[in-house]
Amino acid sequence: MGLITLEHSKAAYRADFALYGAAVAVLAAFLLVAGPREQRLEIIGFGCAGLASWTVIEYALHRFVLHGMRPFSRWHTEHHQRPTALIYAPTIFSAALIATLVFLPALELGSLWRACALTFGVLAGYLSFSITHHAVHHWRADSAWLKERKRWHALHHNPIGQPGCYGVTSAFWDYVFGSARRTAERAGR
């Protein structure tokens, strides 16, 4: 399988988790060890802002890109048709997008510390999304939170009426933008 294929081997699929996990750990260590002490609170704030921004990025990408723009919507349809297949965005593609759309603009507009902290937050959000999405398709739900995420994602994959439930890690933006009520209410919620 190549670097830009959508369906991956188990090794490549696991490598994505390992690479993003390592990137989050390295950035956290870099910020903690090398970050200026006088900017520690600001660094934490930018990290939290990156994590919070991931939630809206996740929602927007899923709703408007993966369900609305070709060729991405065609590729995402393949995931809907085979939800347990190891289909995801190639690591090189997602990493390039995060570097280009998060790190570089933040570096240009701020400092290295702000850019690293913001990127750390977005990467941590992306990693939590990846783990959550994997869990809803492949793990048995033992916790109430995961059971709810699995139910929510099942509503997304099997919509009653109009599509909805685009948030994987959180339903927050679905409620804000009205894409939760249509699906969840019809499912007896």
Side-chain angles (χ1 to χ4, degrees):
M1 301 247 159
L3 285 174
I4 58 169
T5 184
L6 293 174
E7 187 165 0
H8 292 75
S9 68
K10 285 183 181 180
Y13 186 75
R14 290 179 182 141
D16 189 67
F17 290 104
L19 289 169
Y20 277 107
V24 167
V26 166
L27 263 178
F30 175 67
L31 291 165
L32 187 62
V33 172
R37 291 199 184 280
E38 65 276 4
Q39 292 181 23
R40 186 89 12 114
L41 196 55
E42 183 181 5
I43 288 170
I44 291 169
F46 272 85
C48 291
L51 184 58
S53 69
W54 170 256
T55 64
V56 73
I57 293 168
E58 172 191 317
Y59 177 85
L61 282 173
H62 195 182
R63 182 173 184 178
F64 301 110
V65 176
L66 297 179
H67 282 273
M69 293 176 60
R70 290 196 175 272
F72 308 106
S73 60
R74 185 172 37 83
W75 297 338
H76 191 63
T77 297
E78 182 75 16
H79 164 64
H80 277 257
Q81 292 169 347
R82 299 184 310 127
T84 58
L86 303 179
I87 297 171
Y88 67 96
T91 306
I92 195 163
F93 182 70
S94 59
L97 281 176
I98 291 169
T100 303
L101 300 177
V102 178
F103 180 76
L104 291 176
L107 183 61
E108 186 66 30
L109 296 172
S111 68
L112 174 65
W113 304 111
R114 289 176 182 165
C116 286
L118 189 70
T119 303
F120 163 77
V122 171
L123 284 174
Y126 180 73
L127 180 61
S128 68
F129 156 78
S130 296
I131 292 168
T132 302
H133 192 255
H134 176 78
V136 299
H137 285 292
H138 300 279
W139 293 355
R140 207 175 49 142
D142 292 329
S143 71
W145 181 83
L146 185 54
K147 284 179 185 175
E148 176 58 21
R149 293 290 83 218
K150 284 177 81 77
R151 185 194 70 76
W152 187 262
H153 201 61
L155 289 171
H156 171 72
H157 273 261
N158 303 295
I160 300 168
Q162 292 184 309
C165 300
Y166 297 101
V168 173
T169 56
S170 168
F172 179 77
W173 295 108
D174 282 293
Y175 286 107
V176 169
F177 294 118
S179 55
R181 290 180 305 226
R182 295 187 304 247
T183 303
E185 284 174 359
R186 289 192 177 127
R189 191 137 188 206

